[in-house]
Amino acid sequence: MLEANLYIITSSDLIGNDMGFCQGLSHLGVVFAPIESYAICGQSFFKIQITYNPDSDKLLLAYLLTWARLYGWYIYRQKYKRPMVDIKFAAFDLDGTIIVNELMSDLAKAKGCSKDMNFLTEETMRGYLPFAESYRLRLKMLKGITYNDIKMVCTDIVFASGFEHLFNYLKSKDVLMYLITGGWSIFCDYVRETYPFDGYIASCPVFENDVFVGMCNEPLVDEEAKARFFSHILESHNIEACDTFAMGDGANDILMLSISDHAFLYSAVASTHFSHIPIDSFLAICREV
């Protein structure tokens, strides 16, 4: 059995008043201790010690992502109860995680297909649609947008509250930082102009005469590609899973999140609309634990 800690930052005491969350844990076969509550920077902070079958880690992460996306909870799954002492590698998803934007949805506005795009995106992030299948459908919807359309979307990118502090803190500790996203390489290049990540993996859109043709170069960066790339970085730099953390907000992040001992489930979109929890809040958790 695997022992772990869950740390949850939320702007409400919903977790304490609504046992639905704990019932869900029980249905997954998770054994948990009584909830401990604290306060960090005026926000509620909960700790739950859990024990569960290691084979259920991906199911647990999928369940936790539901609460992160629905209520804006900031959830940290600390595998083996190992504290974050010497982090060497940090991996971040892009859309909806370190930025408030869902960039394909923003592009869809130029095509007048926002409603359909938003539906497909949300169904995919919740795990209801296979990523690759959904992604190809969404790419076709964007056929005909121009490079200028994309540059306009770039100028409207909004970073998650607190991200500058988080990035600069990790840089000061010489942490290797990568973007691991199914989104477009163009957007990663733009983000790196402001925040110089050490590298990234992303999908590469295909253009003809500065017009998007409705496809990306294969293979797409799906959930398995994200996990493979994460593992490749660990192997190539001789880094252990206990010295990494991964952050994401969707079903296509689960395999990557499961590899790391320190998995952070954070939705910048949900936080902006519901909980208003800055992305750097977990630094306060780390000082507590």
Side-chain angles (χ1 to χ4, degrees):
M1 298 297 283
L2 191 159
E3 292 187 348
N5 289 322
L6 295 180
Y7 296 94
I8 303 172
I9 299 178
T10 171
S11 58
S12 73
D13 60 353
L14 177 64
I15 188 172
N17 292 332
D18 184 355
M19 292 305 293
F21 175 75
C22 293
Q23 289 173 354
L25 291 178
S26 296
H27 291 157
L28 292 173
V30 177
V31 177
F32 53 90
I35 299 173
E36 303 171 45
S37 61
Y38 307 86
I40 294 180
C41 301
Q43 294 177 324
S44 302
F45 158 39
F46 300 95
K47 175 184 176 181
I48 310 175
Q49 300 181 59
I50 62 174
T51 305
Y52 61 102
N53 188 322
D55 294 336
S56 299
D57 192 54
K58 298 177 187 65
L59 288 175
L60 173 64
L61 290 169
Y63 176 68
L64 297 176
L65 273 171
T66 300
W67 291 82
R69 291 185 65 84
L70 285 178
Y71 298 107
W73 292 6
Y74 199 162
I75 306 176
Y76 166 29
R77 190 274 281 123
Q78 183 191 64
K79 197 184 289 184
Y80 306 115
K81 300 183 178 180
R82 291 172 177 160
M84 287 181 59
V85 175
D86 188 22
I87 295 299
K88 296 181 175 66
F89 172 52
F92 295 88
D93 181 37
L94 179 60
D95 293 44
T97 301
I98 70 166
I99 62 174
V100 174
N101 314 67
E102 290 287 353
L103 294 169
M104 293 186 78
S105 294
D106 290 352
L107 288 172
K109 294 176 183 177
K111 290 284 292 181
C113 56
S114 295
K115 183 176 180 180
D116 291 340
M117 180 67 75
N118 291 340
F119 174 78
L120 285 174
T121 299
E122 187 60 28
E123 293 293 285
T124 305
M125 291 299 97
R126 292 185 181 185
Y128 299 154
L129 291 175
F131 177 84
E133 175 186 335
S134 164
Y135 199 68
R136 290 188 181 96
L137 288 173
R138 287 180 282 160
L139 290 175
K140 290 178 181 178
M141 292 167 61
L142 295 177
K143 182 178 180 179
I145 63 170
T146 67
Y147 199 77
N148 282 334
D149 293 329
I150 295 169
K151 288 194 291 186
M152 289 297 294
V153 166
C154 284
T155 62
D156 290 332
I157 286 177
V158 177
F159 288 92
S161 174
F163 181 70
E164 181 177 4
H165 175 225
L166 172 59
F167 185 89
N168 290 336
Y169 174 82
L170 294 173
K171 271 295 183 185
S172 73
K173 301 297 183 181
D174 295 321
V175 175
L176 190 68
M177 286 188 283
Y178 273 73
L179 289 169
I180 300 184
T181 174
W184 290 4
S185 55
I186 295 172
F187 296 127
C188 291
D189 290 333
Y190 180 83
V191 166
R192 291 179 76 199
E193 291 178 9
T194 305
Y195 297 104
F197 281 86
D198 296 287
Y200 67 80
I201 183 173
S203 298
C204 298
V206 179
F207 292 86
E208 291 182 0
N209 299 319
D210 287 340
V211 177
F212 179 57
V213 302
M215 61 181 289
C216 285
N217 290 325
E218 298 282 346
L220 299 176
V221 181
D222 59 9
E223 57 269 33
E224 293 182 357
K226 284 188 169 190
R228 285 195 302 269
F229 187 76
F230 189 94
S231 296
H232 167 72
I233 295 297
L234 268 60
E235 292 168 7
S236 61
H237 291 272
N238 195 28
I239 297 173
E240 300 292 332
C242 60
D243 295 327
T244 72
F245 82 70
M247 183 179 294
D249 77 319
N252 63 327
D253 297 311
I254 289 174
L255 294 181
M256 174 181 74
L257 292 167
S258 184
I259 296 171
S260 177
D261 282 4
H262 306 285
F264 291 87
L265 300 90
Y266 180 78
S267 169
V269 178
S271 178
T272 299
H273 288 95
F274 302 113
S275 59
H276 308 291
I277 299 171
I279 196 171
D280 61 342
S281 296
F282 89 82
L283 295 176
I285 288 183
C286 296
R287 285 194 289 270
E288 291 288 328
V289 301

